[in-house]
Amino acid sequence: MNLKPKIRLLTFALIMLMAVLLTGCSEQMIVLDPKGPIGESQKDLIYLSVILCAIVLVPVLLLTAFIVWRYRDRKDSKASYKPNWEHSTKLEIIWWGIPIIIIAILGVITVKYTYELEPSKPLVSDKAPLVIEATSLDWKWLFTYPEEGISTVNYIQIPKDRPIQFKVTADQAMNSFWIPQLGGQIYAMSGMAMTLHLQADEPGLYYGSGANFTGELFAKMTFDVKATSDEEYDAWVKEIKSNYPALTEDGFKKLTEKGASNQQFFSSFPEGLFDRVVKQYIGKGGTGHHHGGGSTEAEASKDAAKANEHEQHEGMSDKEMSEMEGMDHGAVKTASGEHAGH
Amino acid sequence: MFQNFIDFMLNDFFVTGDPLILGAQVSIALASVAVVFVLTYFKKWRWLWTEWLTTVDHKKIGIMYIIASILMLFRGGVDALLIRTQLALPNLEFLHADHYNAIFTTHGVIMILFMAMPLMFGLFNIVVPLQIGARDVAYPFLNSLSFWLFFFGAMLFNVSFVIGGSPDAGWLAYPPLSELSGSPGVGQDFYIWGIQISGIGSLASGINFVVTILKMRAPGMKLMQMPMFTWSVLSSSVTIMFAFPILTVTLFLLFIDRYLGAHFFTLDGGGNPMMYINLIWMWGHPEVYIVILPAFGIFSEIVSTFSKKKLFGYKSMVFALMSISFFSFFTWAHHFFTMGSGANVNAFFAITTMLIAIPTGVKIFNWLFTMFRGRITFSQPMLWTIAFIPCFIVGGMTGVMLSVAPADFQFHNSYFLIAHFHQVLIGGVVFGYFAGLYYWWPKMFGFKLHDGIGKWVFWLWNIGFYVCFMPQYALGLMGMTRRFNEYNFDMGWQPLNVVSTIGGFIMGLAFLFQVWQIAHSIKFFKKEKSGDAWDGRTLEWSIPSPAPMYNFARVPVVTSQDEWWEEKQRIANGGKPKPLAPLEPIHMPKNSAIPFIMSVFFFIAGFGFVWGWTWMIVPGLLGVAICMIARSFSYDTDFYIPVDEIERTEAAALKGAN
Amino acid sequence: MAHTATSSHDKGHGHGHDGHDHHDHESIKVFGFWLFLITDVILFGTLFATFAVLRLSTDGGPTPDEMFKMPGVIAETFILLTSSFTSGIAVLQMHKGNKKGLIGWLAVTALLGASFIFLEVYEFIELVHEGVTIGTSAYWSAFFTLVGTHGLHVSVGLIWMVGLMIQLARRGITPVTQRKVNIISLYWHFLDVVWIFVLTVVYLMGVM
């Protein structure tokens, strides 16, 4: 069976095909084509990590090819053969050292960016952020604009050059809220209001999706994000206010039923709807019941979770916040039967 | 009454109304009839029972593990091809969304827990006692129990495909989706009990191999003289010991939630779904290291054998293995950087994750420098090893990219992640275990697998792999999320999905070639006479192939790291073979039916729990208890092989060699 | 063959070494049991962790300080501690070769264990009567699961102990039964230690 020519031909054809497809697709690599400051920093970070890894990767791949070729077994091999050569402190130091250095560099960069790009951190801007509340329903996204008083399904319009503060929660299953061209995602979890700050620098229509599996029609949970000028945005809000029906309690109930949905627009929504969704599972007289961070034994994570807790619980009232804080500092109990749940 | 029963059978019990599943039901029925017929016709029932189902011989148990895992590879592979077909042609609705969700769930569970794990345990079983000069594992009875628990757990999981409906909440079943509120059907209960039962078996195996390695080594073999595969088994088994109890508890809590209405992970009642996600990954992350570490051990053995050179940096390798298994317990939160745990948590887990890259990188260098100044021959096991190195380096690199927490916000749950973990799991674990299978196959069965077909298998697997998964990195960067069963054509995802699907089918073809390779090699059986098929270095190559029941007629005394190689070198340099000590009767464990029966009862109890049938749970659990008591009361559990029988066996093996 | 065994301390080598042989096998089993205990520690550790996470998640329902009745818990504690002590005496009797003493003290231990279980079940039933079940809130889910898992361990130990007493009565003190007694007493002490943690973390911290 003459294998080699066939295999070579097949490999070559496939590589060519892939190369053509990949270059054809490069414009559609939306993660690498960001339109906002957060996505921009994340793209830089991706390139940086690729370069740092490549410093090790490329030489090692070449070295592998060289060694396998040079030391292959053949009759008149001139390569040296030392069957008992099994240790070299110098070499070991080199290859323990190189990864340690690379990882140290990458580690420092990662830590710096982790704090810089923390999603709950407000963006620096002279404009006040626009608040949009996103709720993952089965299986559609409901967006409410508390300042404008309007509401949409599977569609967001935002003014460009203005920071957007997304507050994200879920009615049922856990989801993740992701607009690749604006920046990274955040989980949407019931009982919590997660905060994600993003901003669009250019007008355009961007793709958004749910990124964490929520059940049957999960794939239908995509949405459009349209970034426009301030004027166009204001005009859009006006249009929604005057031309579309209100979202009633019944209308909301209908939305929570299982099923997919087209884009929908509402001129108003029941007051405090988002907060109500966040708090819907809290029992008789209890308060917020979720933990902001890893609920685990690792001390490090626990401490860190505490430090960041307030940022994660913006859906809660101040009173609840102070209770949670009080609890974190050891004063565990409040009056009879009322506990700041964790 | 009767009508109710029929209605229940058709509406709830059997999955009806899907042609694919109907096909599966029919073929399962036909296959069962065929198996029963063949066994009866050839009068093989007794043989099956005494030689296999009740055996406590680690080599036979290992072979059963491997057969089961190859069957599961087939099922998981078919799942994968169904997924790929749907994604290449999303608008045909080849699979309904429900069905698609079930299939990716079972694909994940089966590939990790019912394919990779048993293949790993199969190799543990076959190789470890032979490598350390032992006659069996520390607890042969428990070993058999582990296998049957795995087997019936896997069966319980698989049965959900035709009875009751498959789980469809993802392979790690995040609540609240996996709670009653999100998954009211029995599929999720099959998930819990299938994994729970086999997980208990895995935990027992972990303990068994730690004890075997620490206590059963041949006289003279110091820890730092153990073959590297044995070291990797030790590190993997220790990891199992520490990780699997967490899985047991986590599944148990989910079960209590669903069965007794508790509120551990529910939305209401103060439950905390995030706790599940933490717990399951505290097991789940070590789990992936559990399966990759033995692959590292296999590569170490093979690189050294086929380069005809001592393993480079032995101490470094041991240290790397152990530090990987240690650090694997401190990285779990990198699976959910986007949960909003805050910058401190994310920074901590990003750093611990990156740290693992260091010992892993060192291992790669050590393999490379084992080949350096060696004499490399490209036999099948070595081919897989050489393919592994670049594949794993690239996969590892994308892993480091994922560990950069702020960048992970863009990678998380996208096809970039999918491509990454398939690259390390296929390029690392699957290639590794294949390499191990080809390497130890002659030791298991006494013949080598056909070389020419093997090359086809190798190239098809490799080409298929790259064609399938490289486009998926690009798809991730194009914003494609995992677990989508359909997508909008405007996104431009289809061409790459089609390519990826072609790659998937090439791997499917590779699997068929592999089956052909095995069938062909059996048909044109060529006895591997010497027992030392590859000019090996460790003790397993010093005995006949396949190994006799008692492994070593005389327990070897070990003085160096590559004991068998050194001995061959000594004799080649004019040294005399050591004088043979007189044979003595060999103490061996007796076969036992209890593991099999007890696992059947576990299956019955599990099936009862799935459906909430107390009349089935009670006898199931009682049966388990009675089996345990029966074992505790049986004292006649071992026997001696007399000297003349050993002499006969050894003479027959020698005759085969000439 | 590789090297040939001439050394006398290799295992499993024939009738001549029977006693030695057994000793070796038995010690390996004890070692394995220690490893099992490690995995059990992790099991309980995970349950304690979930309990700690959910310790305040009573969801506005009944709280532990309202529900716990400490006298019963303290009685349970003394009973279990005493049973640990009596299982120690049983082992001492075994080393003296006193079969009757061994079985007798094991019986005392088992009786104490049974009363512990009785009190615990009584406590659970009382809680249920007062309207607190595993489904009341996350806190009570964690409570019943953690305390119940410990109780289940003790119950399994009881059945095992009864079985062992029968074996001892039939076979006397042999290397095998001796190992079994050692293992179960190890197990019993372990459950005692776990109970101390349950008492502290669940009950004392619950009412304080």
Side-chain angles (χ1 to χ4, degrees):
Chain A
M1 172 166 0
N2 196 354
L3 194 62
K4 272 192 181 159
K6 285 180 214 161
I7 294 266
R8 276 189 192 146
L9 197 68
L10 182 64
T11 317
F12 180 72
L14 286 167
I15 288 173
M16 287 314 288
L17 181 68
M18 261 161 63
V20 169
L21 283 169
L22 286 176
T23 45
C25 295
S26 62
E27 288 202 350
Q28 282 162 320
M29 297 226 185
I30 50 181
V31 169
L32 302 180
D33 182 24
K35 304 293 183 191
I38 296 286
E40 195 67 43
S41 308
Q42 283 165 333
K43 183 196 72 180
D44 293 345
L45 200 53
I46 290 171
Y47 282 137
L48 197 67
S49 60
V50 171
I51 291 168
L52 277 173
C53 289
I55 292 176
V56 183
L57 179 81
V58 175
V60 174
L61 287 179
L62 293 175
L63 185 68
T64 309
F66 167 75
I67 289 177
V68 171
W69 179 255
R70 171 101 177 122
Y71 295 100
R72 70 192 192 283
D73 188 34
R74 63 208 149 126
K75 273 195 188 114
D76 47 354
S77 174
K78 289 190 188 100
S80 63
Y81 175 50
K82 295 192 172 162
N84 289 322
W85 185 62
E86 47 141 4
H87 179 74
S88 157
T89 310
K90 258 188 217 155
L91 283 173
E92 293 263 7
I93 288 172
I94 290 174
W95 60 63
W96 277 96
I98 293 174
I100 287 175
I101 292 167
I102 300 267
I103 292 299
I105 296 171
L106 193 59
V108 169
I109 295 168
T110 301
V111 170
K112 180 172 162 277
Y113 273 93
T114 304
Y115 285 94
E116 218 160 84
L117 298 180
E118 166 61 32
S120 59
K121 204 175 109 182
L123 301 179
V124 182
S125 169
D126 44 5
K127 293 181 184 170
L130 170 70
V131 178
I132 299 177
E133 298 154 340
T135 309
S136 163
L137 304 173
D138 283 348
W139 289 277
K140 77 264 315 163
W141 287 96
L142 174 69
F143 300 104
T144 44
Y145 291 64
E147 292 161 32
E148 274 78 359
I150 59 167
S151 166
T152 59
V153 171
N154 289 350
Y155 180 87
I156 313 175
Q157 187 149 335
I158 53 169
K160 73 180 176 77
D161 296 327
R162 180 174 166 191
I164 314 290
Q165 186 190 72
F166 287 103
K167 290 183 175 177
V168 184
T169 193
D171 176 45
Q172 284 287 326
M174 182 174 111
N175 203 338
S176 192
F177 176 81
W178 190 27
I179 308 170
Q181 280 185 290
L182 299 189
Q185 61 197 286
I186 196 88
Y187 277 167
M189 294 179 282
S190 54
M192 299 185 73
M194 312 292 294
T195 316
L196 176 68
H197 288 90
L198 296 173
Q199 179 179 321
D201 290 340
E202 287 176 40
L205 191 65
Y206 306 125
Y207 167 82
S209 76
N212 193 74
F213 182 60
T214 52
E216 189 182 345
L217 298 181
F218 162 65
K220 304 271 191 202
M221 294 194 71
T222 59
F223 54 91
D224 286 332
V225 183
K226 190 173 179 185
T228 60
S229 65
D230 283 349
E231 296 77 35
E232 272 179 78
Y233 173 74
D234 291 338
W236 174 76
V237 172
K238 254 190 201 144
E239 194 214 328
I240 301 291
K241 275 199 171 285
S242 49
N243 289 351
Y244 287 89
L247 177 63
T248 58
E249 290 289 348
D250 281 351
F252 174 70
K253 226 177 219 163
K254 254 205 157 135
L255 281 177
T256 58
E257 284 167 13
K258 289 186 189 301
S261 167
N262 292 327
Q263 295 183 349
Q264 296 184 44
F265 304 91
F266 303 102
S267 57
S268 70
F269 59 89
E271 216 188 301
L273 179 66
F274 182 78
D275 282 349
R276 236 167 55 208
V277 173
V278 171
K279 291 179 193 164
Q280 63 180 317
Y281 297 106
I282 299 167
K284 333 112 202 173
T287 58
H289 63 292
H290 280 312
H291 195 291
S295 43
T296 60
E297 297 120 310
E299 278 311 309
S301 75
K302 236 182 209 167
D303 292 342
K306 278 179 193 170
N308 286 280
E309 206 143 48
H310 353 306
E311 293 160 14
Q312 310 300 332
H313 288 269
E314 298 195 14
M316 296 176 179
S317 70
D318 287 340
K319 179 176 164 280
E320 287 158 1
M321 289 290 299
S322 62
E323 275 181 13
M324 294 206 58
E325 250 176 307
M327 180 195 61
D328 279 342
H329 295 288
V332 177
K333 287 273 174 65
T334 51
S336 65
E338 272 225 293
H339 289 248
H342 222 178
Chain B
M1 174 68 198
F2 186 67
Q3 189 55 40
N4 285 346
F5 176 72
I6 298 287
D7 283 349
F8 167 74
M9 286 316 245
L10 288 182
N11 295 332
D12 299 321
F13 193 75
F14 287 113
V15 182
T16 48
D18 187 293
L20 273 171
I21 294 177
L22 185 68
Q25 285 164 332
V26 171
S27 44
I28 289 172
L30 288 179
S32 318
V33 171
V35 168
V36 170
F37 176 78
V38 168
L39 286 171
T40 313
Y41 186 80
F42 291 103
K43 299 198 172 99
K44 288 290 187 187
W45 283 106
R46 175 166 289 279
W47 167 80
L48 185 70
W49 179 255
T50 53
E51 292 288 309
W52 295 94
L53 303 189
T54 60
T55 186
V56 293
D57 182 343
H58 67 98
K59 300 177 287 295
K60 285 183 175 165
I61 290 173
I63 288 170
M64 290 194 289
Y65 265 121
I66 287 169
I67 293 171
S69 73
I70 289 173
L71 287 176
M72 289 293 105
L73 176 62
F74 175 73
R75 154 105 212 251
V78 170
D79 282 349
L81 295 183
L82 293 175
I83 294 172
R84 283 312 326 160
T85 309
Q86 167 68 21
L87 287 177
L89 308 161
N91 284 22
L92 284 187
E93 240 197 75
F94 169 67
L95 298 174
H96 182 255
D98 253 2
H99 200 170
Y100 181 85
N101 298 341
I103 285 179
F104 72 65
T105 301
T106 53
H107 167 74
V109 173
I110 286 178
M111 285 302 200
I112 294 283
L113 288 160
F114 302 136
M115 188 281 284
M117 290 294 280
L119 193 47
M120 173 183 93
F121 283 131
L123 291 170
F124 281 18
N125 263 291
I126 287 160
V127 181
V128 169
L130 300 183
Q131 271 199 336
I132 62 173
R135 284 186 172 136
D136 208 322
V137 295
Y139 315 117
F141 174 88
L142 187 67
N143 196 26
S144 161
L145 181 62
S146 287
F147 171 75
W148 288 112
L149 285 176
F150 145 72
F151 183 82
F152 282 103
M155 287 305 108
L156 187 62
F157 183 85
N158 275 279
V159 106
S160 68
F161 187 62
V162 289
I163 291 175
S166 299
D168 58 359
W171 85 278
L172 284 185
Y174 281 8
L177 189 59
S178 57
E179 290 280 0
L180 269 184
S181 62
S183 306
V186 291
Q188 201 50 47
D189 301 300
F190 274 115
Y191 171 96
I192 291 171
W193 284 99
I195 297 180
Q196 189 70 291
I197 291 173
S198 74
I200 297 167
S202 304
L203 183 56
S205 281
I207 295 176
N208 210 340
F209 280 94
V210 171
V211 180
T212 304
I213 293 170
L214 292 182
K215 293 283 180 185
M216 306 283 286
R217 296 190 310 279
M221 185 185 276
K222 297 190 187 98
L223 278 176
M224 290 310 270
Q225 289 171 340
M226 293 198 306
M228 195 50 66
F229 178 69
T230 300
W231 263 112
S232 72
V233 174
L234 182 63
S235 65
S236 172
S237 299
V238 169
T239 315
I240 289 175
M241 268 179 50
F242 284 90
F244 267 74
I246 305 176
L247 175 70
T248 308
V249 171
T250 310
L251 290 174
F252 183 56
L253 299 186
L254 186 60
F255 159 73
I256 297 178
D257 268 8
R258 290 177 61 91
Y259 196 74
L260 298 174
H263 291 289
F264 284 103
F265 314 123
T266 54
L267 291 173
D268 56 345
N272 190 338
M274 278 178 290
M275 185 167 72
Y276 179 94
I277 298 171
N278 274 285
L279 287 172
I280 200 78
W281 280 116
M282 286 165 77
W283 160 77
H285 196 79
E287 164 65 15
V288 296
Y289 285 94
I290 287 168
V291 290
I292 193 72
L293 288 170
F296 289 169
I298 293 168
F299 291 129
S300 304
E301 298 289 328
I302 291 172
V303 160
S304 168
T305 303
F306 293 94
S307 304
K308 298 232 169 300
K309 189 160 162 283
K310 257 191 172 164
L311 185 66
F312 199 87
Y314 181 92
K315 281 181 194 156
S316 234
M317 293 290 238
V318 170
F319 180 71
L321 278 176
M322 286 309 180
S323 53
I324 291 172
S325 72
F326 176 77
F327 278 115
S328 73
F329 283 95
F330 300 96
T331 65
W332 78 88
H334 72 214
H335 295 274
F336 41 88
F337 280 142
T338 57
M339 194 186 263
S341 317
N344 290 339
V345 176
N346 283 2
F348 174 82
F349 283 99
I351 297 295
T352 53
T353 306
M354 290 177 187
L355 284 180
I356 290 198
I358 298 169
T360 316
V362 167
K363 293 190 80 72
I364 301 256
F365 281 112
N366 277 324
W367 288 318
L368 287 180
F369 276 78
T370 304
M371 292 192 272
F372 186 73
R373 295 180 181 166
R375 280 286 174 271
I376 307 169
T377 44
F378 300 98
S379 303
Q380 289 183 72
M382 190 60 177
L383 281 180
W384 291 96
T385 306
I386 291 171
F388 149 82
I389 291 175
C391 192
F392 200 78
I393 299 173
V394 174
M397 180 191 116
T398 56
V400 171
M401 287 171 69
L402 284 164
S403 75
V404 179
D408 181 66
F409 280 73
Q410 287 282 37
F411 296 134
H412 187 63
N413 273 350
S414 77
Y415 263 80
F416 192 90
L417 169 75
I418 303 294
H420 158 72
F421 74 69
H422 280 91
Q423 182 151 25
V424 284
L425 285 175
I426 295 180
V429 176
V430 175
F431 284 13
Y433 292 173
F434 280 174
L437 266 186
Y438 285 108
Y439 183 57
W440 282 300
W441 188 276
K443 188 47 66 188
M444 290 181 233
F445 299 108
F447 64 95
K448 281 184 186 170
L449 286 170
H450 188 270
D451 210 48
I453 310 174
K455 293 237 161 79
W456 275 96
V457 172
F458 172 78
W459 284 107
L460 286 173
W461 260 108
N462 271 272
I463 294 168
F465 169 78
Y466 285 100
V467 174
C468 185
F469 290 104
M470 293 305 109
Q472 292 187 7
Y473 281 116
L475 282 170
L477 296 175
M478 292 163 77
M480 182 163 165
T481 303
R482 72 193 294 196
R483 293 169 177 175
F484 271 1
N485 66 318
E486 54 171 56
Y487 47 81
N488 191 330
F489 282 98
D490 298 344
M491 301 306 295
W493 296 342
Q494 207 199 7
L496 286 179
N497 269 303
V498 171
V499 174
S500 179
T501 302
I502 293 172
F505 276 91
I506 297 176
M507 283 189 276
L509 189 65
F511 179 76
L512 293 183
F513 268 72
Q514 229 159 351
V515 175
W516 177 35
Q517 183 190 20
I518 294 171
H520 186 275
S521 313
I522 293 173
K523 194 172 170 203
F524 300 96
F525 178 84
K526 246 169 58 194
K527 172 85 182 152
E528 183 62 48
K529 285 174 183 161
S530 73
D532 187 6
W534 312 105
D535 197 5
R537 310 176 73 85
T538 40
L539 286 177
E540 73 268 33
W541 304 110
S542 70
I543 53 174
S545 296
M549 180 195 182
Y550 45 78
N551 298 348
F552 297 87
R554 299 170 180 84
V555 173
V557 176
V558 176
T559 52
S560 65
Q561 179 191 320
D562 289 328
E563 179 64 26
W564 175 236
W565 176 261
E566 300 292 341
E567 174 73 2
K568 285 189 286 188
Q569 292 301 106
R570 206 174 55 78
I571 292 172
N573 293 334
K576 272 192 193 149
K578 294 243 169 95
L580 293 179
L583 288 169
E584 290 181 64
I586 295 174
H587 186 205
M588 296 299 286
K590 270 188 184 164
N591 283 0
S592 170
I594 293 178
F596 182 83
I597 296 169
M598 190 166 147
S599 304
V600 170
F601 279 118
F602 257 112
F603 181 91
I604 292 171
F607 199 80
F609 275 122
V610 167
W611 293 94
W613 293 339
T614 314
W615 56 268
M616 201 164 175
I617 298 170
V618 171
L621 290 181
L622 264 179
V624 170
I626 289 169
C627 285
M628 280 177 161
I629 293 168
R631 173 64 185 177
S632 177
F633 275 79
S634 51
Y635 277 69
D636 180 23
T637 55
D638 27 21
F639 70 107
Y640 283 90
I641 303 177
V643 170
D644 54 335
E645 192 185 326
I646 303 168
E647 275 168 351
R648 259 182 283 131
T649 314
E650 290 293 299
L654 254 163
K655 213 169 138 196
N658 289 329
Chain C
M1 278 305 304
H3 289 213
T4 306
T6 43
S7 124
S8 66
H9 59 261
D10 46 27
K11 312 174 245 302
H13 239 243
H15 304 292
H17 298 300
D18 249 357
H20 183 61
D21 201 32
H22 262 300
H23 176 73
D24 233 22
H25 271 268
E26 303 313 323
S27 78
I28 284 177
K29 285 188 174 154
V30 175
F31 180 68
F33 194 79
W34 275 102
L35 296 189
F36 163 76
L37 284 187
I38 292 178
T39 66
D40 226 21
V41 166
I42 293 164
L43 186 137
F44 276 110
T46 313
L47 285 173
F48 273 109
T50 58
F51 181 84
V53 169
L54 300 174
R55 72 193 185 281
L56 299 170
S57 305
T58 49
D59 197 38
T63 56
D65 54 344
E66 296 163 13
M67 304 309 301
F68 287 162
K69 301 209 169 53
M70 288 313 280
V73 176
I74 289 166
E76 284 174 41
T77 307
F78 275 107
I79 289 171
L80 202 64
L81 286 181
T82 314
S83 79
S84 208
F85 179 69
T86 54
S87 83
I89 300 180
V91 173
L92 284 180
Q93 292 296 325
M94 177 178 77
H95 287 313
K96 281 188 193 154
N98 180 355
K99 181 172 136 185
K100 270 193 189 149
L102 167 59
I103 295 177
W105 282 107
L106 278 183
V108 174
T109 309
L111 272 178
L112 287 169
S115 4
F116 170 86
I117 292 295
F118 175 80
L119 283 179
E120 189 163 87
V121 170
Y122 182 76
E123 184 201 352
F124 281 13
I125 291 173
E126 244 190 352
L127 281 172
V128 171
H129 276 304
E130 285 167 36
V132 174
T133 67
I134 198 165
T136 300
S137 66
Y139 172 83
W140 291 104
S141 303
F143 167 82
F144 281 108
T145 307
L146 173 56
V147 179
T149 306
H150 176 267
L152 202 66
H153 272 73
V154 175
S155 311
V156 168
L158 281 180
I159 298 171
W160 183 5
M161 211 177 272
V162 172
L164 187 52
M165 288 186 309
I166 298 171
Q167 289 175 33
L168 282 168
R170 280 194 198 160
R171 293 173 186 275
I173 300 170
T174 69
V176 176
T177 52
Q178 208 162 6
R179 180 256 308 166
K180 289 186 175 185
V181 172
N182 278 328
I183 283 181
I184 200 163
S185 105
L186 194 61
Y187 182 71
W188 208 253
H189 292 315
F190 166 74
L191 291 181
D192 218 31
V193 174
V194 174
W195 178 257
I196 298 297
F197 279 92
V198 172
L199 176 74
T200 318
V201 174
V202 177
Y203 290 102
L204 293 181
M205 285 168 75
V207 293
M208 269 191 316

